[in-house]
Amino acid sequence: QVQVVESGGGLVHPGGSLRLSCAASGPIFKIRPMSWYRQAPGKQRELVATISTDDTTNYGGSVKGRFTISRDGPKNTVHLQMNNLKPEDTGVYSCKYVDGPGYWGQGTQVTVSS
């Protein structure tokens, strides 16, 4: 069973930065796409960023130019660098390892507040 673990959430002031990390482990035999999603209270989960097997990246419209997804070292480890954070970025950020039905982490809380 593939396991996905996120880390790096927390409380930050508007305009600040956070870096989230996500590591997939278990029976993994090749590089797969990995994605970050977020869900704000009372809202549907939305796609934040995706990195493909060739490291092509795609972002949700509201985070373009502020967030960067990247792979680091072990290819099933990804990071989400979040800069110029806004209160509307608050939510639970979850990582998905895209293989078959997909495997999700437990999520990490990001709160942007003054």
Side-chain angles (χ1 to χ4, degrees):
Q1 182 79 3
V2 174
Q3 292 186 325
V4 178
V5 179
E6 304 102 333
S7 61
L11 172 65
V12 64
H13 293 307
S17 298
L18 279 176
R19 187 183 192 225
L20 307 182
S21 297
C22 171
S25 61
I28 295 171
F29 304 103
K30 58 174 64 176
I31 297 172
R32 295 291 189 183
M34 294 180 74
S35 299
W36 283 99
Y37 289 77
R38 70 184 180 192
Q39 187 167 21
K43 294 187 177 181
Q44 289 188 328
R45 185 166 57 193
E46 63 173 338
L47 177 65
V48 174
T50 294
I51 187 163
S52 301
T53 55
D54 62 357
D55 287 351
T56 300
T57 58
N58 285 287
Y59 299 92
S62 64
V63 307
K64 282 182 180 178
R66 300 187 297 122
F67 290 12
T68 302
I69 187 171
S70 62
R71 290 187 192 269
D72 177 28
K75 291 298 186 179
N76 291 306
T77 297
V78 298
H79 304 286
L80 185 68
Q81 178 66 42
M82 306 185 294
N83 297 327
N84 190 22
L85 283 160
K86 304 176 181 180
E88 53 263 41
D89 294 317
T90 294
V92 176
Y93 284 68
S94 299
C95 179
K96 182 180 182 181
Y97 175 78
V98 184
D99 184 14
Y103 298 88
W104 292 88
Q106 80 288 351
T108 186
Q109 176 70 42
V110 171
T111 302
V112 185
S113 175
S114 54

